[in-house]
Amino acid sequence: MSDNRTGTAGGRAATLSDVAKIAGVSLATASKAINGRGEVAAATRQRVLEAAKKISFTPNELARSLINGRTGTVGLLTSDLEGRFVIPILMGAEDAFGAGQVNVFLCDARGDAIREQHHLNALLTRRVDGIIVVGRSTDPRPSLGHNIPVPVVYAYAPSEDPTDVSITPDNRAGGRLAVEHLIACGRSKIAMISGEAVYAAAQDRAAGVMDALGDAGLELMGRPMFSEWSEHWGRDASAMLFRQFPDIDGVVAGSDQIARGVLDTMRDLGREVPHDVAVVSFDNWEILATNSRPELTSIDANLQQLGRMAATRIFDAIDGTAATRGVENLPGRLVIRGSTIARR
Amino acid sequence: MSDNRTGTAGGRAATLSDVAKIAGVSLATASKAINGRGEVAAATRQRVLEAAKKISFTPNELARSLINGRTGTVGLLTSDLEGRFVIPILMGAEDAFGAGQVNVFLCDARGDAIREQHHLNALLTRRVDGIIVVGRSTDPRPSLGHNIPVPVVYAYAPSEDPTDVSITPDNRAGGRLAVEHLIACGRSKIAMISGEAVYAAAQDRAAGVMDALGDAGLELMGRPMFSEWSEHWGRDASAMLFRQFPDIDGVVAGSDQIARGVLDTMRDLGREVPHDVAVVSFDNWEILATNSRPELTSIDANLQQLGRMAATRIFDAIDGTAATRGVENLPGRLVIRGSTIARR
DNA sequence: TAGCCTGCCGAAAGGGGTTTCGAAGCTTTC
DNA sequence: GAAAGCTTCGAAACCCCTTTCGGCAGGCTA
């Protein structure tokens, strides 16, 4: 009950009228002095600023938002339980918005549509200026619909609705990148081990791999192998693969986890990486990629840039700039490590 | 410029006075009807609710907050770049607050004190009801100070100031837990490989290990080994250790990463896990713990519960309930997998 | 000296909602 | 039929700040 929460000036937070009273000016003048707007004499402004500092006045952003119709907040609606995609995206968005200018509400829907709707409503009553929806895979997800009074951008997982604004990694280009790198490393007998076939990411990456092989006049060793995004599968699949095609000299793994399984099996089989077999994978998840031996060459999805772009799209929409509707594919970048090129 | 952002009712969002006008009542009555407060005739209430639904009215939370002094928002100020700690904590906090009741501003300070101060100010002008500070290690961190008008709780990394409210994992108890489990598995020649010695987590876990060994009348094989939180170190350290003490039958690893390195070396040395050597580690980072062979027995820090507790503390402070100041240690829980007990 | 700018300042009207308190209108009760 | 008691509603103040616009000095010109 005792109001001892407030550290400095006992009681509630300082308000503009407090400042005005101390400075001996009107509310209006105080406001103008602090915001540097309107015609205020230098001396008066000085007096107001001193008063404000004295009682450590902080303008109430709520009241401000109420007036100018913008809150300077954005909602990040995610179903990415691990935080693996959402954190880089959040950081990118913060960067683009400018630190401190915009704050982000992070809401985890946990893959539950009802909870998502709940959070969406909460965000809207909070009058966020925009919403970024982050999925946990690159498969298209249902649209939130168009009767939302603020701009919405879908990141990572695109919206099923082509009239929404979506930004997603270009996995097909990534697949090309992987194969082109292997070829540049002198490999020609290339296999692919990927994750669950129902994932768009698995299909797109495989398609990119096939594209690049075709362009180079090469053929994949066997077929792309799909099962699950795990080390176990990486181990098992590579064992099977090498039994059938012992002369494979390059492997594209659908994820860093799968690649680690491949490395394991290579060791068991006595094949040296990268000398005998080069391995390139996807995601560039540092914890996995830089702790293996050798470290993994991996294709980074540029998630932070994805976040920046999403934020930019939100801005454009707020400012009324014509948004580029549809799905935009963001190319990844190859991060070369020891699994394709011997180091030291 | 064209105001086509708003999906439904063209123009701006519906306001309470719109509702009142349609229902043919005053603003005050409309408010009372919608919030179920005050004396409103059933028929009138019905009329208001229908009007509200008709124009899909959503109360402006900003205006509400302005009045009752509470925003229903909380700031999560973190330096956890990976999002490994912060995401479970966020989820726990959301749970405790009740989904949709409270929204969380997530701010990443990126380990930069200036950026942190920046974000802190932003949160305060946004009038958050409380702040949770999440560190990236369990080492005490500088306090934000006491001249903050809202309650602050430090999670994961405690505050250096004992008069702050902090909640941190009980790593010492975790160390005990690890050793007690190994002993229960019939092991007696136990070694410890941990991360950087400057980390409180490394020291605390080692202390717990020594405690438990002492209680059981056992001695550690060699000394606790400190270097870095990596698989590399786990590999190297265990190789050294087993050269010196070939009869080690249990290893406590300071992290799942280190444990994975240990498993690697065990395989190289032809030691079977868990038959010859049992391994228990810390963090229970699923991606690492469940993808190794065998899977890792690991001590989970209960981060989600940590988040829930932090949220509860915030609530208590808001409600004026006497907060339990000081550092509270939250025990972890043992998650048993194949690295200590053979499965199937 | 009168008239006219010009430069500062403040009263007031919001923005969207909540809450108090008084005023109706209606039904009882004597 | 009048007084009293309910219920129901609305006017107005308030939360904190921004912004418009009118007013008041003071300095300048004629």
Side-chain angles (χ1 to χ4, degrees):
Chain A
M1 279 299 159
S2 68
D3 203 352
N4 58 354
R5 283 213 321 282
T6 64
T8 44
R12 69 221 163 42
T15 145
L16 186 62
S17 63
D18 296 341
V19 176
K21 209 167 293 170
I22 293 182
V25 297
S26 80
L27 214 57
T29 307
S31 170
K32 280 181 280 196
I34 284 177
N35 294 306
R37 225 174 301 257
E39 311 289 327
V40 180
T44 312
R45 165 161 302 151
Q46 190 60 29
R47 209 144 33 89
V48 171
L49 291 180
E50 275 165 12
K53 181 183 282 181
K54 188 170 159 196
I55 60 175
S56 66
F57 164 76
T58 333
N60 187 328
E61 193 60 40
L62 264 53
R64 272 190 164 157
S65 308
L66 196 54
I67 293 162
N68 64 21
R70 285 200 198 170
T71 55
T73 61
V74 164
L76 203 50
L77 198 51
T78 178
S79 293
D80 170 26
L81 301 148
E82 308 243 0
R84 219 188 105 211
F85 309 127
V86 80
I87 293 285
I89 290 175
L90 170 69
M91 287 171 63
E94 269 192 354
D95 280 352
F97 286 136
Q101 296 298 324
V102 170
N103 281 96
V104 178
F105 280 118
L106 182 54
C107 305
D108 194 336
R110 304 184 199 183
D112 176 355
I114 294 178
R115 197 187 288 256
E116 181 174 281
Q117 190 60 42
H118 216 80
H119 273 140
L120 176 60
N121 290 337
L123 289 174
L124 291 178
T125 67
R126 293 254 142 78
R127 295 297 191 266
V128 293
D129 294 335
I131 294 177
I132 301 176
V133 181
V134 179
R136 65 170 156 221
S137 81
T138 58
D139 294 85
R141 52 149 289 150
S143 172
L144 292 182
H146 282 209
N147 51 357
I148 294 180
V150 296
V152 178
V153 172
Y154 298 80
Y156 204 76
S159 165
E160 285 169 352
D161 184 336
T163 64
D164 285 328
V165 179
S166 305
I167 308 174
T168 186
D170 191 340
N171 276 314
R172 187 152 187 165
R176 296 193 72 99
L177 217 55
V179 166
E180 285 162 3
H181 175 59
L182 286 178
I183 292 174
C185 294
R187 314 302 162 134
S188 58
K189 301 185 171 15
I190 296 172
M192 167 151 214
I193 302 173
S194 196
E196 297 181 40
V198 295
Y199 278 71
Q203 295 297 339
D204 294 344
R205 289 166 186 175
V209 164
M210 300 310 280
D211 287 353
L213 285 173
D215 288 359
L218 295 175
E219 287 206 349
L220 189 74
M221 306 301 281
R223 320 200 111 271
M225 301 183 74
F226 300 107
S227 176
E228 54 174 46
W229 305 102
S230 70
E231 293 194 36
H232 296 289
W233 167 240
R235 282 193 285 265
D236 297 348
S238 49
M240 285 159 48
L241 212 47
F242 276 80
R243 210 172 300 133
Q244 197 180 352
F245 306 101
D247 53 349
I248 288 174
D249 60 6
V251 174
V252 179
S255 73
D256 293 329
Q257 295 182 62
I258 291 173
R260 299 220 32 172
V262 173
L263 291 192
D264 253 17
T265 295
M266 291 304 98
R267 191 131 44 91
D268 288 353
L269 296 181
R271 309 263 176 149
E272 211 169 296
V273 177
H275 186 264
D276 301 327
V277 179
V279 178
V280 53
S281 59
F282 285 84
D283 294 349
N284 191 31
W285 199 351
E286 296 268 342
I287 186 74
L288 294 173
T290 66
N291 274 293
S292 61
R293 52 176 174 174
E295 299 187 353
L296 289 172
T297 293
S298 192
I299 290 171
D300 190 295
N302 282 333
L303 293 176
Q304 199 155 340
Q305 194 188 335
L306 202 105
R308 275 201 295 276
M309 288 177 63
T312 309
R313 294 286 173 284
I314 295 272
F315 267 151
D316 290 351
I318 291 175
D319 298 343
T321 313
T324 50
R325 289 171 190 274
V327 178
E328 185 165 354
N329 292 295
L330 180 69
R333 70 175 200 281
L334 185 70
V335 178
I336 299 174
R337 299 202 186 83
S339 69
T340 54
I341 293 182
R343 285 297 175 83
R344 189 180 318 188
Chain B
M1 277 301 160
S2 67
D3 203 353
N4 59 355
R5 283 214 319 283
T6 66
T8 44
R12 67 213 168 46
T15 144
L16 186 61
S17 61
D18 296 341
V19 176
K21 208 167 292 171
I22 292 181
V25 298
S26 79
L27 213 57
T29 307
S31 169
K32 281 180 281 195
I34 284 177
N35 296 305
R37 226 175 300 257
E39 309 291 327
V40 180
T44 313
R45 163 159 305 149
Q46 191 59 29
R47 208 145 32 90
V48 172
L49 291 179
E50 275 166 12
K53 181 184 283 182
K54 188 170 158 195
I55 59 175
S56 66
F57 164 76
T58 333
N60 187 327
E61 194 59 39
L62 264 54
R64 273 191 164 156
S65 308
L66 196 53
I67 294 162
N68 64 22
R70 285 201 198 169
T71 55
T73 60
V74 164
L76 203 52
L77 199 51
T78 179
S79 291
D80 170 27
L81 301 147
E82 307 243 359
R84 221 188 102 209
F85 309 127
V86 80
I87 293 286
I89 289 175
L90 170 69
M91 287 172 62
E94 269 192 354
D95 279 352
F97 287 135
Q101 296 298 322
V102 170
N103 281 95
V104 178
F105 281 119
L106 182 54
C107 305
D108 194 335
R110 304 184 198 182
D112 177 356
I114 294 178
R115 197 186 288 257
E116 181 174 279
Q117 190 60 42
H118 217 79
H119 273 139
L120 176 60
N121 290 337
L123 289 175
L124 291 179
T125 67
R126 292 251 143 80
R127 295 298 192 262
V128 293
D129 293 335
I131 295 177
I132 300 177
V133 181
V134 179
R136 66 170 155 221
S137 80
T138 59
D139 295 85
R141 52 149 289 149
S143 172
L144 292 182
H146 282 211
N147 51 357
I148 294 180
V150 296
V152 178
V153 172
Y154 298 80
Y156 204 77
S159 165
E160 285 169 350
D161 185 336
T163 64
D164 284 329
V165 179
S166 305
I167 309 175
T168 187
D170 191 340
N171 276 315
R172 187 152 187 166
R176 295 194 72 99
L177 217 54
V179 166
E180 284 162 5
H181 175 59
L182 285 178
I183 292 174
C185 293
R187 314 302 163 134
S188 58
K189 301 188 171 17
I190 295 171
M192 168 151 214
I193 302 172
S194 198
E196 296 183 42
V198 295
Y199 278 72
Q203 296 298 338
D204 295 343
R205 288 166 186 175
V209 164
M210 300 311 278
D211 288 351
L213 285 173
D215 289 357
L218 296 174
E219 286 206 350
L220 189 74
M221 305 301 282
R223 321 199 109 273
M225 302 184 72
F226 300 107
S227 176
E228 54 174 45
W229 306 102
S230 72
E231 295 195 34
H232 296 289
W233 166 240
R235 281 193 284 266
D236 297 348
S238 48
M240 285 159 47
L241 212 46
F242 276 80
R243 209 172 301 132
Q244 197 179 353
F245 306 101
D247 53 349
I248 288 172
D249 60 7
V251 174
V252 179
S255 75
D256 293 330
Q257 295 182 64
I258 291 173
R260 299 221 30 173
V262 173
L263 291 192
D264 252 18
T265 295
M266 292 306 98
R267 193 133 44 90
D268 288 354
L269 296 181
R271 310 263 176 150
E272 212 169 294
V273 177
H275 186 264
D276 302 326
V277 180
V279 178
V280 54
S281 58
F282 285 84
D283 294 348
N284 191 32
W285 199 351
E286 295 269 340
I287 186 74
L288 295 174
T290 66
N291 274 294
S292 60
R293 51 174 176 178
E295 299 188 352
L296 289 172
T297 292
S298 191
I299 289 171
D300 189 295
N302 282 333
L303 293 176
Q304 200 155 340
Q305 194 188 335
L306 203 104
R308 275 201 295 276
M309 289 177 63
T312 307
R313 296 283 173 285
I314 295 273
F315 266 152
D316 290 351
I318 291 175
D319 298 343
T321 312
T324 50
R325 290 173 189 273
V327 179
E328 185 166 353
N329 291 297
L330 180 69
R333 71 176 198 282
L334 185 70
V335 178
I336 298 174
R337 297 201 187 86
S339 68
T340 54
I341 292 181
R343 283 297 175 83
R344 189 176 316 189

